Short mmCIF file of all heavy atoms in Angstrom, two decimals:
data_model
loop_
_atom_site.label_atom_id
_atom_site.label_comp_id
_atom_site.label_asym_id
_atom_site.label_seq_id
_atom_site.Cartn_x
_atom_site.Cartn_y
_atom_site.Cartn_z
N LEU A 223 28.49 159.94 78.80
CA LEU A 223 29.27 160.59 77.76
C LEU A 223 30.50 161.30 78.30
O LEU A 223 31.49 161.48 77.59
CB LEU A 223 28.40 161.58 76.99
CG LEU A 223 27.15 161.00 76.30
CD1 LEU A 223 26.37 162.09 75.60
CD2 LEU A 223 27.53 159.90 75.32
N MET A 224 30.45 161.71 79.56
CA MET A 224 31.60 162.42 80.14
C MET A 224 32.77 161.49 80.43
O MET A 224 33.88 161.94 80.71
CB MET A 224 31.16 163.14 81.42
CG MET A 224 30.08 164.19 81.22
SD MET A 224 30.56 165.50 80.06
CE MET A 224 31.73 166.41 81.07
N ASP A 225 32.51 160.18 80.39
CA ASP A 225 33.60 159.20 80.61
C ASP A 225 34.39 158.94 79.33
O ASP A 225 35.43 158.28 79.36
CB ASP A 225 33.03 157.86 81.10
CG ASP A 225 32.48 157.95 82.51
OD1 ASP A 225 32.89 158.88 83.24
OD2 ASP A 225 31.66 157.10 82.89
N ILE A 226 33.89 159.43 78.21
CA ILE A 226 34.49 159.09 76.92
C ILE A 226 35.58 160.09 76.56
O ILE A 226 35.37 161.30 76.58
CB ILE A 226 33.41 159.06 75.81
CG1 ILE A 226 32.38 157.97 76.16
CG2 ILE A 226 34.03 158.79 74.45
CD1 ILE A 226 31.10 158.07 75.40
N GLU A 227 36.75 159.57 76.28
CA GLU A 227 37.90 160.41 75.97
C GLU A 227 38.52 160.00 74.63
O GLU A 227 38.19 158.96 74.07
CB GLU A 227 38.97 160.28 77.07
CG GLU A 227 38.50 160.67 78.46
CD GLU A 227 38.38 162.17 78.64
OE1 GLU A 227 38.89 162.91 77.76
OE2 GLU A 227 37.79 162.61 79.65
N VAL A 228 39.42 160.84 74.16
CA VAL A 228 40.17 160.51 72.95
C VAL A 228 41.23 159.47 73.33
O VAL A 228 41.96 159.63 74.30
CB VAL A 228 40.84 161.76 72.36
CG1 VAL A 228 41.79 161.38 71.23
CG2 VAL A 228 39.77 162.73 71.85
N LYS A 229 41.29 158.39 72.56
CA LYS A 229 42.30 157.34 72.80
C LYS A 229 43.43 157.51 71.79
O LYS A 229 43.19 157.66 70.58
CB LYS A 229 41.66 155.96 72.65
CG LYS A 229 40.59 155.67 73.70
CD LYS A 229 41.20 155.53 75.08
CE LYS A 229 40.13 155.42 76.16
NZ LYS A 229 39.22 154.34 76.01
N TYR A 230 44.64 157.47 72.31
CA TYR A 230 45.81 157.64 71.45
C TYR A 230 46.43 156.28 71.14
O TYR A 230 46.55 155.43 72.03
CB TYR A 230 46.83 158.55 72.14
CG TYR A 230 46.31 159.96 72.32
CD1 TYR A 230 45.51 160.29 73.41
CD2 TYR A 230 46.57 160.95 71.37
CE1 TYR A 230 45.00 161.59 73.56
CE2 TYR A 230 46.07 162.24 71.52
CZ TYR A 230 45.28 162.54 72.61
OH TYR A 230 44.77 163.80 72.76
N PRO A 231 46.81 156.04 69.89
CA PRO A 231 47.34 154.72 69.52
C PRO A 231 48.65 154.41 70.22
O PRO A 231 49.45 155.31 70.50
CB PRO A 231 47.54 154.85 67.99
CG PRO A 231 47.69 156.31 67.75
CD PRO A 231 46.82 156.99 68.76
N GLU A 232 48.85 153.13 70.53
CA GLU A 232 50.10 152.71 71.17
C GLU A 232 51.28 152.89 70.23
O GLU A 232 52.39 153.22 70.65
CB GLU A 232 49.99 151.25 71.62
CG GLU A 232 48.97 151.03 72.73
CD GLU A 232 48.93 149.58 73.17
OE1 GLU A 232 49.77 148.79 72.69
OE2 GLU A 232 48.05 149.24 73.99
N LYS A 233 51.03 152.64 68.95
CA LYS A 233 52.09 152.76 67.95
C LYS A 233 52.08 154.15 67.36
O LYS A 233 51.07 154.60 66.82
CB LYS A 233 51.90 151.72 66.85
CG LYS A 233 52.98 151.78 65.76
CD LYS A 233 52.73 150.72 64.70
CE LYS A 233 53.80 150.77 63.62
NZ LYS A 233 53.56 149.75 62.56
N LYS A 234 53.18 154.86 67.47
CA LYS A 234 53.26 156.20 66.89
C LYS A 234 53.88 156.09 65.50
O LYS A 234 55.00 155.61 65.35
CB LYS A 234 54.09 157.12 67.77
CG LYS A 234 54.07 158.56 67.29
CD LYS A 234 54.69 159.50 68.29
CE LYS A 234 54.59 160.95 67.79
NZ LYS A 234 55.17 161.90 68.77
N VAL A 235 53.12 156.51 64.50
CA VAL A 235 53.58 156.46 63.12
C VAL A 235 54.00 157.85 62.69
O VAL A 235 53.24 158.81 62.83
CB VAL A 235 52.47 155.93 62.19
CG1 VAL A 235 52.94 155.91 60.74
CG2 VAL A 235 52.04 154.52 62.62
N SER A 236 55.20 157.98 62.17
CA SER A 236 55.71 159.27 61.74
C SER A 236 54.88 159.83 60.59
O SER A 236 54.40 159.09 59.73
CB SER A 236 57.17 159.15 61.30
OG SER A 236 57.63 160.38 60.73
N ASN A 237 54.71 161.15 60.60
CA ASN A 237 53.98 161.78 59.49
C ASN A 237 54.91 162.06 58.30
O ASN A 237 54.47 162.60 57.29
CB ASN A 237 53.33 163.09 59.96
CG ASN A 237 54.34 164.18 60.24
OD1 ASN A 237 55.46 163.91 60.70
ND2 ASN A 237 53.96 165.41 59.98
N ARG A 238 56.15 161.68 58.43
CA ARG A 238 57.12 161.85 57.35
C ARG A 238 57.41 160.49 56.74
O ARG A 238 58.01 159.63 57.38
CB ARG A 238 58.40 162.48 57.90
CG ARG A 238 59.37 162.99 56.84
CD ARG A 238 60.56 163.66 57.53
NE ARG A 238 61.46 164.27 56.56
CZ ARG A 238 61.36 165.52 56.14
NH1 ARG A 238 60.39 166.29 56.62
NH2 ARG A 238 62.21 166.02 55.26
N ILE A 239 56.96 160.27 55.52
CA ILE A 239 57.10 158.97 54.86
C ILE A 239 58.15 159.07 53.76
O ILE A 239 57.99 159.83 52.79
CB ILE A 239 55.75 158.51 54.23
CG1 ILE A 239 54.62 158.59 55.26
CG2 ILE A 239 55.90 157.11 53.66
CD1 ILE A 239 54.74 157.66 56.41
N GLN A 240 59.23 158.31 53.91
CA GLN A 240 60.28 158.30 52.89
C GLN A 240 59.90 157.26 51.83
O GLN A 240 59.94 156.06 52.06
CB GLN A 240 61.63 157.95 53.53
CG GLN A 240 62.83 158.26 52.66
CD GLN A 240 63.07 159.75 52.50
OE1 GLN A 240 62.87 160.52 53.43
NE2 GLN A 240 63.50 160.15 51.31
N LEU A 241 59.53 157.74 50.64
CA LEU A 241 59.05 156.85 49.59
C LEU A 241 60.19 156.21 48.82
O LEU A 241 60.13 155.03 48.47
CB LEU A 241 58.14 157.63 48.63
CG LEU A 241 56.91 158.29 49.28
CD1 LEU A 241 56.21 159.19 48.27
CD2 LEU A 241 55.95 157.23 49.80
N THR A 242 61.23 156.99 48.53
CA THR A 242 62.45 156.49 47.88
C THR A 242 63.64 157.13 48.60
O THR A 242 63.46 157.85 49.59
CB THR A 242 62.48 156.88 46.38
OG1 THR A 242 62.64 158.31 46.26
CG2 THR A 242 61.19 156.45 45.67
N ASP A 243 64.82 156.90 48.09
CA ASP A 243 66.00 157.51 48.71
C ASP A 243 65.93 159.03 48.71
O ASP A 243 66.45 159.69 49.63
CB ASP A 243 67.27 157.05 47.99
CG ASP A 243 67.58 155.58 48.24
OD1 ASP A 243 67.03 155.03 49.23
OD2 ASP A 243 68.35 154.99 47.45
N ASP A 244 65.32 159.61 47.69
CA ASP A 244 65.31 161.06 47.53
C ASP A 244 63.94 161.72 47.70
O ASP A 244 63.86 162.94 47.90
CB ASP A 244 65.84 161.45 46.14
CG ASP A 244 67.27 161.00 45.93
OD1 ASP A 244 68.07 161.12 46.88
OD2 ASP A 244 67.59 160.52 44.83
N ILE A 245 62.86 160.94 47.61
CA ILE A 245 61.52 161.53 47.58
C ILE A 245 60.69 161.04 48.76
O ILE A 245 60.72 159.86 49.13
CB ILE A 245 60.79 161.17 46.26
CG1 ILE A 245 61.58 161.71 45.07
CG2 ILE A 245 59.37 161.73 46.25
CD1 ILE A 245 61.04 161.26 43.73
N GLY A 246 59.94 161.96 49.34
CA GLY A 246 59.07 161.60 50.46
C GLY A 246 57.89 162.55 50.55
O GLY A 246 57.79 163.53 49.80
#
Side-chain angles (χ1 to χ4, degrees):
L223 301 179
M224 299 301 287
D225 290 339
I226 299 164
E227 301 285 347
V228 172
K229 295 292 173 58
Y230 295 84
E232 293 182 6
K233 180 180 180 181
K234 186 170 183 179
V235 178
S236 173
N237 70 326
R238 193 177 185 91
I239 309 294
Q240 195 70 37
L241 301 172
T242 68
D243 290 342
D244 298 320
I245 299 173

